[in-house]
Amino acid sequence: MGLLDDLQKKHDVSAVSAPVNSVPLSKAEVTAVPEPQQPVNQQEPELVDVSMHTHARLCHVNICMWEGRKKDKRATQNYAHQVDADARKIGVDKYLLSDNPHLKRIKSIKSDARDYLNRVSKPWLDRGPRIIPATSLLDARQALEAFKAEYYTEVQNLLDGYSDAVDMAEQKAQSSFSGLGKLFSRDDYPSLGSLREKFSFKLAFIPLPKPEDDSDFRLQVGEEMKEYLKQSYKDYYHDQNQEMMVRVYSDVRTRLTETKSKLDYGDKQTPTGFHNTLIDRTLEVVQMLKHFSFGDDPNLELCRSALEERLQRMTVEALRDSSRLRSELIEAINKVLNVLPQ
């Protein structure tokens, strides 16, 4: 049994959620934050290189869409002449369906899906797939599938009303100053069949190869080159794992530090940036820390779990009304920051 096998028993398959019977903390109910155990030695925690092929997956998301925007070369040239500018350094873009609610919603879904994926995963390659721990894989798949379903629903709504939307754009161009005016051209609008092909939402979960598995090295090369390729991949795997954990710790530290700064104000002071999402976003990174903690650091987990429990039972209203609750939450945050690897 290796380290990851032991750790896997501690994790649920789904993402961590608040207890069913949890209730918001009143001003009189505050769970004490346990003091972290003193480490045996004071050496900086080492990032553990683990075999994640059975405990994580690569998630590949590719979202394509028609932006409804087109550069008008003639208008660009005319404007450049008017202002004595180089036409290669400026541009006049036409927004062909700027008022269409379905196109706006498609853009929002694309942005929201990307934002969600960035919050629950970490980069594995410079571009492309991102890594998601097994403990949050089920929730991530369900959320991304929901984004995908809504995306295609809105695409179909756009296609169903596309012809009428183009007619409306032409009417606005001819009869008011709210459209494209003389810049309108039906040639700018793709055919319905061509438009349909411009939208896609591809989602795939890909297993990580084993760094010690030589079955991926099928090239007809000599043994010396094969060993070089295997060692090269092991080194890359190790480096990527370390870089991923550095990003995790950095993201957690940044979010906790921002949260702490927003909580640190007196009773007679007006809070700034104290939004209703403060607790949710802070809890999100605290839970992410558990999902990505492949190393076994009892001090970190002790402080992390105490902070998670406190956040799950906290409300923004209670924090606004009580300087004592804010101070105790800041103390819990500091205990995580103090044991978080650099």
Side-chain angles (χ1 to χ4, degrees):
M1 298 289 287
L3 172 61
L4 277 178
D5 295 318
D6 293 333
L7 286 173
Q8 185 65 10
K9 295 180 180 179
K10 302 177 185 178
H11 295 292
D12 295 328
V13 174
S14 61
V16 177
S17 59
V20 176
N21 60 349
S22 63
V23 295
L25 279 173
S26 67
K27 295 182 181 180
E29 293 179 326
V30 182
T31 303
V33 179
E35 294 290 338
Q37 302 173 4
Q38 292 298 322
V40 176
N41 57 64
Q42 299 298 322
Q43 294 182 353
E44 181 177 332
E46 181 181 355
L47 293 177
V48 181
D49 184 20
V50 294
S51 191
M52 292 181 294
H53 61 278
T54 59
H55 295 80
R57 286 293 183 270
L58 293 178
C59 179
H60 179 73
V61 174
N62 190 308
I63 307 174
C64 298
M65 65 171 294
W66 180 64
E67 297 288 344
R69 185 177 65 219
K70 184 177 180 63
K71 182 175 180 179
D72 192 313
K73 295 181 179 179
R74 178 177 296 178
T76 298
Q77 290 284 352
N78 292 338
Y79 181 70
H81 179 71
Q82 293 175 17
V83 298
D84 295 327
D86 187 341
R88 295 171 298 179
K89 298 179 180 179
I90 63 175
V92 175
D93 286 342
K94 298 188 291 188
Y95 293 87
L96 305 178
L97 294 179
S98 59
D99 298 329
N100 189 278
H102 303 302
L103 188 59
K104 288 181 179 179
R105 183 57 192 149
I106 291 169
K107 292 179 180 178
S108 295
I109 295 171
K110 178 181 178 181
S111 176
D112 292 345
R114 285 291 181 192
D115 182 62
Y116 173 80
L117 180 62
N118 290 340
R119 296 201 312 269
V120 302
S121 65
K122 292 299 169 188
W124 183 247
L125 302 174
D126 292 337
R127 292 183 179 181
R130 298 173 64 89
I131 191 166
I132 298 181
T135 49
S136 58
L137 190 62
L138 179 60
D139 281 357
R141 182 186 67 82
Q142 291 175 342
L144 290 170
E145 288 287 0
F147 280 122
K148 180 178 179 179
E150 185 182 3
Y151 176 88
Y152 278 115
T153 296
E154 290 299 333
V155 168
Q156 190 58 52
N157 290 337
L158 173 66
L159 295 174
D160 290 343
Y162 179 62
S163 179
D164 291 339
V166 176
D167 290 341
M168 180 64 69
E170 185 174 21
Q171 291 176 15
K172 285 186 176 181
Q174 295 173 349
S175 60
S176 70
F177 291 100
S178 61
L180 291 172
K182 295 181 179 180
L183 296 182
F184 176 86
S185 173
R186 278 191 171 268
D187 293 337
D188 293 334
Y189 295 81
S191 66
L192 187 62
S194 176
L195 181 64
R196 188 187 305 272
E197 295 177 354
K198 295 180 183 296
F199 293 93
S200 65
F201 191 124
K202 297 179 181 179
L203 172 63
F205 292 94
I206 309 166
L208 277 163
K210 298 179 182 180
E212 69 277 5
D213 187 2
D214 63 0
S215 61
D216 290 330
F217 299 96
R218 305 184 188 90
L219 296 175
Q220 297 299 315
V221 296
E223 288 299 319
E224 183 178 353
M225 177 56 72
K226 182 183 292 186
E227 290 302 316
Y228 169 80
L229 293 174
K230 289 169 61 178
Q231 186 59 47
S232 177
Y233 177 66
K234 287 181 181 180
D235 293 341
Y236 178 81
Y237 185 93
H238 173 271
D239 292 343
Q240 289 298 106
N241 181 49
Q242 285 197 322
E243 290 179 11
M244 179 190 69
M245 293 310 301
V246 167
R247 292 189 191 101
V248 170
Y249 295 142
S250 176
D251 290 348
V252 172
R253 183 177 293 102
T254 298
R255 170 59 64 179
L256 293 185
T257 301
E258 290 178 354
T259 299
K260 187 175 70 169
S261 67
K262 293 174 182 178
L263 295 172
D264 192 10
Y265 65 91
D267 289 333
K268 295 183 180 181
Q269 294 177 308
T270 301
T272 58
F274 204 106
H275 303 297
N276 292 331
T277 57
L278 178 68
I279 292 179
D280 292 339
R281 288 299 175 90
T282 306
L283 182 60
E284 190 175 68
V285 298
V286 171
Q287 292 175 336
M288 178 190 69
L289 181 59
K290 178 179 180 179
H291 297 319
F292 279 95
S293 290
F294 297 116
D296 191 6
D297 187 341
N299 287 343
L300 178 57
E301 177 55 26
L302 182 68
C303 297
R304 188 212 64 80
S305 61
L307 177 57
E308 178 183 12
E309 181 181 357
R310 181 176 292 276
L311 287 167
Q312 286 174 335
R313 300 182 63 194
M314 193 73 69
T315 65
V316 172
E317 292 75 15
L319 285 174
R320 285 197 181 105
D321 295 340
S322 173
S323 60
R324 179 173 60 85
L325 289 181
R326 294 196 299 272
S327 296
E328 290 170 347
L329 184 55
I330 289 174
E331 179 186 356
I333 290 174
N334 282 334
K335 289 183 177 180
V336 173
L337 292 174
N338 290 339
V339 295
L340 195 66
Q342 296 296 322

